[in-house]
Amino acid sequence: MVSYFFALFGVIVDLFRDRQLGGWAKAAWLLALFFVPFLTVLIYVIARGEGMAERSSKESKEYRAQTDQYIRSVAGTSAGPAKEISRAKALLDAGTITPAEFDALKSQALSRSSYTQ
């Protein structure tokens, strides 16, 4: 019974994931699932099983690519404390900030580095 519910859920998810199937066809499959559920799931898996696997694989790859891109974007934003201090030193040398501001920036950079270790 549990396996049947997993298959039923998989068919319903695949129905809404399939962009090539029209709205009326999706409605017909859902009605068939409602009135003759076991037979409809069996027919759907036999008739459209290969497409189910392809759509599932494609969605998994897209999700993985989005996750990897997000991780790269988040990991690449942190410039280590040495770079932050050297940027602050360049600002101090250019006269843009005062020595007190440089010391504050330096202590912030060093305190952030202790959180990441």
Side-chain angles (χ1 to χ4, degrees):
M1 193 66 163
V2 173
S3 298
Y4 166 72
F5 284 119
F6 275 111
L8 179 66
F9 180 72
V11 166
I12 292 171
V13 167
D14 187 65
L15 274 172
F16 289 103
R17 185 185 300 153
D18 189 2
R19 298 194 186 273
Q20 295 177 345
L21 199 61
W24 288 106
K26 289 179 184 181
W29 277 108
L30 286 174
L31 283 174
L33 282 170
F34 183 73
F35 289 112
V36 190
F38 185 75
L39 185 61
T40 305
V41 168
L42 187 61
I43 292 170
Y44 189 90
V45 170
I46 291 170
R48 301 179 52 85
E50 187 175 331
M52 285 178 73
E54 290 171 3
R55 284 183 289 278
S56 178
S57 175
K58 180 181 175 185
E59 184 175 310
S60 175
K61 287 177 184 176
E62 288 174 359
Y63 178 74
R64 185 175 298 127
Q66 289 174 355
T67 302
D68 291 345
Q69 191 274 333
Y70 173 73
I71 290 171
R72 273 188 238 104
S73 71
V74 172
T77 58
S78 176
K83 285 191 176 189
E84 290 181 28
I85 293 171
S86 67
R87 287 181 192 150
K89 178 67 173 152
L91 291 173
L92 176 66
D93 292 341
T96 308
I97 60 173
T98 64
E101 291 172 324
F102 170 74
D103 291 336
L105 289 172
K106 182 178 171 183
S107 64
Q108 285 177 353
L110 292 173
S111 68
R112 277 194 294 255
S113 70
S114 66
Y115 289 126
T116 59
Q117 292 177 351

